[in-house]
Amino acid sequence: MPSWMRLLCSWKMVLRHDAMKIVCLGGGQLGLMLAASGVRLGVGFSFVDEDRHAPAGRLGSLLDPRQEAVLEAHLSDQDVAAITCEREDVAESLLGFLEGRLRPAPDVLRVTRDRLKEKELFSALGISCAPYQAVAGLQDLEQAAGRLGLPMVLKTRCGGYDGKGQLVIHDAGEMAAAWQAMAPQLCLAEAFLPFSCELSLIAVRSLTGEMAFYPLTRNVHHQGILRLSLAPHADADLEGQAKEWVGRLLQHWQLVGTLAVEFFLCQGQLLANEIAPRPHNSGHWTMVGCRSSQFDNHLRAILGWPLGDTGALGPAAMVNFIGDAPEAGQLAPWPGGWLYGKTARPRRKLGHLSLCASDAAQRAFLVQGLAGWPGVWLPPDLDVVCRGSHVGWR
Ligand code: AMP
């Protein structure tokens, strides 16, 4: 090939690479951090989001899903290398339009946005979870109490998150009021689990079929909202079990992208709670605690690029800022500090800080130092929690 042609070819490669675009359904903080992973590689983003102040708008253009013709034209653009999502509540019409093109596939979202379908899939794949029953009326609820016992947790099948759309029923006298609070939404009743801790495992599967798993993470919630994550939670048996189950889900769906599964640890046994087919809040620590973060790997997976190293660099932690957040200047010295640019509201996730320490004692010291920061809640037994989640090297 003459040298002028070689030059032209390489120039075309550069042009094509520069023009690589990804469309993400949802423009929240997860989209923002995903776009940050793409920026350094010249990957451009647009986000489908009704909110014209959505956080990801800082790093890409926002597309209003109500402007259907514009959206369809954008989604059909030849330059779009991949279409992905950062949330599950995607309109069915859009899912139908994206059949065969969305990574992960629409069927994954159809299951993971419905708690009952999730539980049925756990059961079908032999993944342990809390005993449950579908509830569509007061009679079902009374039946469920007879079968599952009290206390029991009543959850809406769709739309609940961060403790919203769920309540605990302690005795039979609360049954009617509980149903009234939820009706007419379809619900799910679950046995109340006296768990000792909550854990999550995040995995990624590429278009090429390559899979990678992050270390097990320990999560501490307060008022139904994640406040603190610690990783790696070095328990080889639990991690092995979690990886096996999450691998089963990845294979079942031939999933392309990131998958997070939350677990309860109950009498030494893992019980799966929820699936998120996207990067997850409990995986933000990977941005400073691993060579390749969950966002880097999500991007690689949907583009069919080789996956990056998911091993931990040291004992890491992540603290959420809920309802309030520090000033940017206070956060600036921390490379793992993020502010999402959202208006402060009670119970709203406004940012987080991740850190990676040289040993578990330093991690406990650094996390303790965040006590009193705006929006930070730490467990009273932080020392014990930190010690229970030691470093594991791979
Ligand atoms: P979820 O929206 O299912 O992740 O639930 C939010 C939080 O509520 C969890 O992180 C737990 O702290 C608590 N929770 C959910 N389900 C149960 C259950 N079956 N038993 C006890 N606590 C639960």
Side-chain angles (χ1 to χ4, degrees):
M1 183 192 287
S3 59
W4 64 268
M5 208 183 266
R6 257 202 309 272
L7 190 69
L8 191 66
C9 284
S10 61
W11 177 236
K12 274 180 76 179
M13 288 291 288
V14 170
L15 270 185
R16 210 180 318 144
H17 192 67
D18 270 357
M20 185 174 274
K21 279 188 234 154
I22 289 181
V23 181
C24 180
L25 308 182
Q29 61 265 23
L30 300 175
L32 174 73
M33 290 180 270
L34 184 61
S37 281
V39 160
R40 75 183 173 87
L41 300 169
V43 180
F45 272 80
S46 29
F47 300 93
V48 181
D49 204 305
E50 281 188 19
D51 179 3
R52 52 193 190 87
H53 302 295
R58 279 153 57 186
L59 285 181
S61 52
L62 292 172
L63 299 163
D64 190 334
R66 291 165 297 193
Q67 296 185 337
E68 282 175 27
V70 179
L71 179 62
E72 286 186 14
H74 193 91
L75 290 168
S76 307
D77 186 339
Q78 293 299 309
D79 283 343
V80 171
I83 304 171
T84 189
C85 63
E86 57 108 70
R87 64 184 192 213
E88 292 95 309
D89 61 333
V90 177
E92 187 50 47
S93 56
L94 191 50
L95 283 187
F97 181 73
L98 293 176
E99 207 69 62
R101 297 173 63 208
L102 185 65
R103 298 171 191 162
D107 270 353
V108 177
L109 274 69
R110 290 187 182 109
V111 171
T112 56
R113 70 185 176 196
D114 182 334
R115 288 179 189 273
L116 178 63
K117 289 187 181 160
E118 254 178 19
K119 290 276 191 298
E120 287 171 346
L121 182 61
F122 289 146
S123 305
L125 295 181
I127 298 170
S128 305
C129 64
Y132 63 92
Q133 186 174 314
V135 172
L138 186 55
Q139 211 180 349
D140 293 341
L141 192 59
E142 282 161 355
Q143 238 177 36
R147 206 166 67 79
L148 308 174
L150 291 174
M152 112 188 141
V153 188
L154 183 62
K155 300 179 178 181
T156 55
R157 279 173 57 175
C158 300
Y161 64 98
D162 290 341
K164 285 182 202 157
Q166 66 171 271
L167 47 86
V168 180
I169 302 174
H170 299 90
D171 63 67
E174 293 172 13
M175 215 81 88
W179 177 245
Q180 222 169 19
M182 298 298 206
Q185 299 175 87
L186 294 176
C187 289
L188 175 83
E190 264 177 42
F192 183 90
L193 299 170
F195 59 81
S196 52
C197 78
E198 296 184 68
L199 300 160
S200 61
L201 192 95
I202 295 171
V204 62
R205 183 178 176 279
S206 165
L207 201 54
T208 62
E210 183 187 359
M211 295 197 285
F213 299 82
Y214 286 96
L216 198 57
T217 299
R218 166 136 192 217
N219 302 311
V220 184
H221 293 74
H222 176 59
Q223 296 172 337
I225 307 176
L226 179 66
R227 305 300 175 128
L228 169 71
S229 290
L230 297 164
H233 184 77
D235 182 316
D237 290 346
L238 291 182
E239 190 172 90
Q241 176 69 89
K243 281 183 180 169
E244 214 261 299
W245 284 343
V246 175
R248 241 180 253 182
L249 289 164
L250 290 177
Q251 296 288 19
H252 168 76
W253 277 314
Q254 296 288 290
L255 186 132
V256 177
T258 311
L259 187 77
V261 181
E262 293 179 86
F263 299 95
F264 297 119
L265 183 64
C266 218
Q267 288 154 353
Q269 302 296 312
L270 281 183
L271 296 172
N273 177 34
E274 251 195 318
I275 310 172
R278 51 169 171 77
H280 192 256
N281 192 171
S282 69
H284 291 354
W285 66 269
T286 62
M287 294 174 91
V288 294
C290 295
R291 270 191 195 90
S292 299
S293 75
Q294 60 168 349
F295 298 102
D296 293 339
N297 267 332
H298 185 82
L299 197 65
R300 290 167 179 231
I302 62 173
L303 292 172
W305 294 345
L307 298 179
D309 187 356
T310 50
L313 299 169
M318 189 275 329
V319 171
N320 267 337
F321 303 130
I322 307 293
D324 197 2
E327 297 289 327
Q330 186 179 356
L331 202 54
W334 298 82
W338 283 76
L339 293 174
Y340 308 147
K342 298 197 292 197
T343 313
R345 254 194 259 135
R347 299 177 59 83
R348 199 174 200 200
K349 287 179 184 167
L350 301 177
H352 72 267
L353 192 165
S354 298
L355 55 90
C356 184
S358 51
D359 57 43
Q362 189 199 30
R363 176 178 64 182
F365 176 78
L366 290 172
V367 173
Q368 190 60 64
L370 303 174
W373 279 40
V376 169
W377 177 93
L378 295 173
D381 59 344
L382 179 67
D383 233 29
V384 180
V385 173
C386 280
R387 251 184 284 126
S389 219
H390 12 263
V391 203
W393 299 102
R394 304 189 322 157

